[in-house]
Amino acid sequence: MKAQFTTFIPPFRTLMGPGPSDVDPRILNALSRPTVGHLDPAFIQLMDEVKLLLQYAFQTENQLTMPVSAPGSAGMESVFVNLLEPGDKVIVCQNGVFGGRMQQNAIRCGATAVMVQDNWGKPTDLHKLEDALKANPDAKAVAFVHAETSTGVRNDAKAMCALAKQYDCLTIVDAVTSLGGIDLDVDGWQVDAIYSGTQKCLSCVPGLSPISFSQQAVDVIKNRKTKVQSWFLDMELVMAYWGQGGKRAYHHTAPVNSIYALHESLRILHEEGLQAAWQRHADMHLALKAGLENIGLEFIVEETYRLPQLNLVGIPDGVEDAKTRAQLLNEFDLEIGAGLGELAGKAWRIGLMGHGSNRKNVDYCVNALTSVLRR
């Protein structure tokens, strides 16, 4: 008998985990519009606008600013494979899962990763970073995560970049969870290479990774001794397609409808304004904090370096992690995230990102957790 398949209708969830976040209806509407060719003049014009809007979001004038046609992990890889060559040395700061992924990317490029380790739930120690820079005068770059999604910690990106520049190092920054949610100033902080994702504070669908390279980073790419190990992620090839105006050279078939969605999400951010978006995330964090502390839950990360958009909350004694999250999902259609690595089974990660950073979601999350925990 021939198998029968029905149209997939997803459940309506409230997404308050570490990502993806709730997608704005305007973005879903943009996603559904008619597909055009990836070299259509109308689409080329849209690409130019996406670039300008990304420059606004990153606060940069970098010409090499674009979305990679793949999720944030590909953005990370594109930065490392373009800037690092075999024999290079990079200082990688790790205080969570994603610093470890930076290390793995560096190793796969044939580079040496000098690790600066700090406890999960704590920010990178600037003294440790400076010690590593002094001990490794041949280091080419310093790489770190701005907003560590696994722990809810904000690293001091401005200070870390300034320190790296004192020792003539390139700066590589993971902004997957920070773009659109907290203060980020690529040009002001002298960030040389940065990557993000669309599914966090931009409230877009997953599958694209905004990136940006400074002119210094572009010069490093142009003067490589070896070819970039990835053809698909080779920036010199990609920029022939993602250039500015004029005729574009075919490189790959862009995810056209996803670019529609990104364009709309960046328009929404531009309409609200960066400072207003950052303030909204901060305000909703304080509202969530008050509600959760009122029912006896405690935040693990200290307030001075706590992310407003990704909240790490301790699981009370006697409460089963997986069972509680399953009840929230099955009874309330509410998704929150589990702890990762050292924090697995010890903490929940509650996201307040982008479109989902609103008072309705805050109240719904607090009320749902209250109901489940009282049992």
Side-chain angles (χ1 to χ4, degrees), residues 230-285:
S230 168
W231 179 89
F232 179 66
L233 297 175
D234 186 330
M235 284 299 107
E236 289 208 84
L237 298 177
V238 176
M239 278 307 292
Y241 176 54
W242 267 99
Q244 188 75 19
K247 186 177 180 180
R248 308 296 177 95
Y250 167 68
H251 178 262
H252 68 279
T253 302
V256 172
N257 290 62
S258 292
I259 301 293
Y260 298 169
L262 175 58
H263 178 262
E264 191 64 19
S265 75
L266 292 169
R267 276 190 358 103
I268 292 169
L269 179 62
H270 188 263
E271 288 170 7
E272 182 177 14
L274 288 176
Q275 286 74 19
W278 300 336
Q279 188 61 54
R280 173 170 53 82
H281 283 85
D283 291 344
M284 291 304 101
H285 160 72

Side-chain angles (χ1 to χ4, degrees), residues 147-159:
E148 179 52 77
T149 317
S150 64
T151 63
V153 167
R154 178 204 309 240
N155 281 315
D156 190 343
K158 182 179 181 180

Side-chain angles (χ1 to χ4, degrees), residues 24 26 33 89 101 114 126 132 137 232 239 282 284 305 311 316 327 367:
D24 191 302
R26 282 175 54 180
R33 292 170 190 162
K89 182 183 288 186
R101 293 193 181 182
V114 176
L126 293 175
F232 179 66
M239 278 307 292
M284 291 304 101
Y305 44 82
N311 298 268
Q327 285 178 301
N367 291 336

Side-chain angles (χ1 to χ4, degrees), residues 149-345:
T149 317
S150 64
T151 63
V153 167
R154 178 204 309 240
N155 281 315
D156 190 343
K158 182 179 181 180
M160 293 172 75
C161 287
L163 191 55
K165 286 301 176 184
Q166 287 180 29
Y167 292 84
D168 298 321
C169 284
L170 294 169
T171 53
I172 298 173
V173 179
D174 176 324
V176 170
T177 301
S178 59
L179 182 63
I182 55 174
D183 186 13
L184 174 62
D185 186 354
V186 167
D187 286 357
W189 296 351
Q190 300 184 81
V191 176
D192 288 304
I194 191 164
Y195 58 90
S196 187
T198 49
Q199 76 279 15
K200 307 279 187 172
C201 294
L202 295 182
S203 287
C204 192
V205 293
L208 293 172
S209 179
I211 61 172
S212 186
F213 291 85
S214 71
Q215 186 57 51
Q216 183 180 355
V218 170
D219 292 341
V220 168
I221 295 170
K222 289 182 176 179
N223 290 300
R224 289 177 60 95
K225 299 181 182 69
T226 60
K227 282 187 176 293
V228 173
Q229 68 188 56
S230 168
W231 179 89
F232 179 66
L233 297 175
D234 186 330
M235 284 299 107
E236 289 208 84
L237 298 177
V238 176
M239 278 307 292
Y241 176 54
W242 267 99
Q244 188 75 19
K247 186 177 180 180
R248 308 296 177 95
Y250 167 68
H251 178 262
H252 68 279
T253 302
V256 172
N257 290 62
S258 292
I259 301 293
Y260 298 169
L262 175 58
H263 178 262
E264 191 64 19
S265 75
L266 292 169
R267 276 190 358 103
I268 292 169
L269 179 62
H270 188 263
E271 288 170 7
E272 182 177 14
L274 288 176
Q275 286 74 19
W278 300 336
Q279 188 61 54
R280 173 170 53 82
H281 283 85
D283 291 344
M284 291 304 101
H285 160 72
L286 292 176
L288 179 69
K289 176 177 178 289
L292 294 181
E293 289 181 342
N294 190 51
I295 61 173
L297 295 180
E298 298 180 354
F299 284 71
I300 293 176
V301 176
E302 290 184 24
E303 194 165 351
T304 51
Y305 44 82
R306 182 186 303 160
L307 291 173
Q309 70 271 42
L310 200 288
N311 298 268
L312 196 72
V313 180
I315 299 173
D317 292 339
V319 173
E320 295 182 45
D321 172 24
K323 181 179 178 181
T324 302
R325 287 185 291 106
Q327 285 178 301
L328 291 172
L329 191 67
N330 295 331
E331 299 176 27
F332 295 91
D333 284 310
L334 173 64
E335 178 182 282
I336 65 171
L340 292 178
E342 298 176 14
L343 299 168

